[in-house]
Amino acid sequence: MSTQFDVPSLYEFLTQTPEGGLKKMLVDGKPLTDVHFNLLIKVVKFGSQDDFTKFCETKNFPPVRLTPKELPLKEKFWDDCLKVFQSRGILQPSSGNKTAA
């Protein structure tokens, strides 16, 4: 996924935007719910930009305790989040390292 999307910029946006604003922007119940949002914040706060990028690219999670409501989300969590990020315009295609010669 690193070649598809600019995940580091997404991480910066998520860390620099107040949680209340993010929640209003992202949570609509279809597909992103409050439970999705809480899990996303756990992942964002877990570590560095590199950690977040790795988890997003591999669709994995940091070693955090998941609530009973979060456990069922694991399988589709990243797909749901990516759809919402793209539809809200906060996840952009990566410019990549390739330049036209």
Side-chain angles (χ1 to χ4, degrees):
M1 184 168 75
S2 61
T3 58
Q4 278 187 322
F5 299 109
D6 185 4
V7 178
S9 292
L10 171 65
Y11 174 82
E12 291 302 317
F13 177 80
L14 294 173
T15 57
Q16 295 176 11
T17 305
E19 284 183 33
L22 283 175
K23 189 170 188 172
K24 286 180 183 179
M25 180 187 305
L26 299 175
V27 176
D28 63 359
K30 328 172 245 183
L32 214 70
T33 64
D34 285 327
V35 180
H36 284 87
F37 182 76
N38 293 336
L39 182 53
L40 175 64
I41 296 303
K42 281 184 186 180
V43 176
V44 169
K45 288 182 175 182
F46 175 78
S48 68
Q49 175 182 305
D50 290 338
D51 293 329
F52 179 80
T53 301
K54 179 184 76 173
F55 295 129
C56 190
E57 288 176 349
T58 61
K59 297 184 180 181
N60 285 319
F61 296 91
V64 295
R65 183 180 302 264
L66 300 179
T67 68
K69 289 183 178 181
E70 291 170 341
L71 284 172
L73 300 179
K74 282 181 71 172
E75 188 174 320
K76 290 181 57 187
F77 174 80
W78 286 109
D79 292 331
D80 291 343
C81 286
L82 293 174
K83 285 179 193 173
V84 170
F85 297 154
Q86 288 176 300
S87 72
R88 304 297 193 278
I90 60 173
L91 181 61
Q92 303 300 317
S94 176
S95 59
N97 294 334
K98 299 177 184 176
T99 56

